[in-house]
Amino acid sequence: MRAGAGELEPEDEQAPLISTRFLVLVTLAVLLLSAASVAISWFGRAYGERLSLAGHTESTEIVEITIGRDQLSLPANTIRFEQQRLGGNAERVDLYLLWPELTGYSSAERRRFDDLSLAHSLIFLQMSQSTMSRDMSGRVDPIYRHLINPGSDPGPGGLEIHRFRSATGYEGESLLTGTLPDGQQYAIRCTLPELPENGGSSDCQRDIHVGEDLSVLYRFSSRLLPDWQAIDDAVRTYVKSHSRAVSSSGTSKNPLKASTDRSS
């Protein structure tokens, strides 16, 4: 017998209000949303940690870097730029070290790496194959003596301050000289502030020859000039302790080494 208007067929009365297909779709949607939530959470933490490091790393894994005839073994957290932590052959490597600890980045010392007001506690090193026959000390008599004004002023830590003449390319800089414990001459170029406490993070620079064929340019705040002897000795010792000679068969002396005696 046919049901009248407004009446349900028996099969309609037994049909579920929510179909199985709908439940499956809802379940899949919930699973996808859950997976997306987990992925976003993981990516957020990973990206947040990476962003907070701002290019630093706490890893102390040793990175092997070859520059010319010198093999360097450096903790990753002392290497300033991320792309240089890959190791292998390189033209140069940049380091940053806490002074006086001579250690690399750590979360415990994060402020000393990121806070500009504390940047005077860092020493920056740039190591490359030497292109000059003389380091900064060796350039004093043949070059700098002809570019500075007569006379000198007393400087921090027993150094003497010599002012560069105008139109020499070193306007605003001073040459500070002294004598190292072994009797060798010491020289460093600085942009000295009017007040010592206003010194920048790296307004003094000096380059030295270390190892087989390395030129090490190191920079630090003029606020650390009273420690110039200790810093010079520490930098030399640090580089020597983290480097060794490599086989001469795979490397050669830089042909540009004797091409110029003037630093940039």
Side-chain angles (χ1 to χ4, degrees), residues 226-247:
D227 296 329
W228 63 271
Q229 291 189 52
I231 291 174
D232 195 71
D233 181 66
V235 169
R236 289 180 185 274
T237 300
Y238 186 88
V239 176
K240 288 178 180 178
S241 66
H242 289 80
S243 64
R244 64 183 184 276
V246 297
S247 173

Side-chain angles (χ1 to χ4, degrees), residues 89-158:
N89 295 322
E91 293 184 358
R92 78 179 215 193
V93 62
D94 297 85
L95 309 183
Y96 49 5
L97 302 171
L98 289 172
W99 177 257
E101 300 93 329
L102 292 186
T103 53
Y105 178 86
S106 68
S107 58
E109 300 291 351
R110 177 180 176 182
R111 280 197 62 206
R112 295 172 69 185
F113 284 84
D114 294 338
D115 190 336
L116 291 178
S117 67
L118 301 176
H120 62 278
S121 63
L122 291 176
I123 297 178
F124 301 91
L125 280 68
Q126 182 184 105
M127 292 185 281
S128 59
Q129 191 173 9
S130 60
T131 59
M132 294 177 287
S133 58
R134 297 182 177 92
D135 60 12
M136 187 170 289
S137 292
R139 297 193 297 273
V140 172
D141 290 327
I143 297 176
Y144 294 138
R145 291 294 182 195
H146 305 286
L147 305 176
I148 57 178
N149 291 313
S152 64
D153 298 314

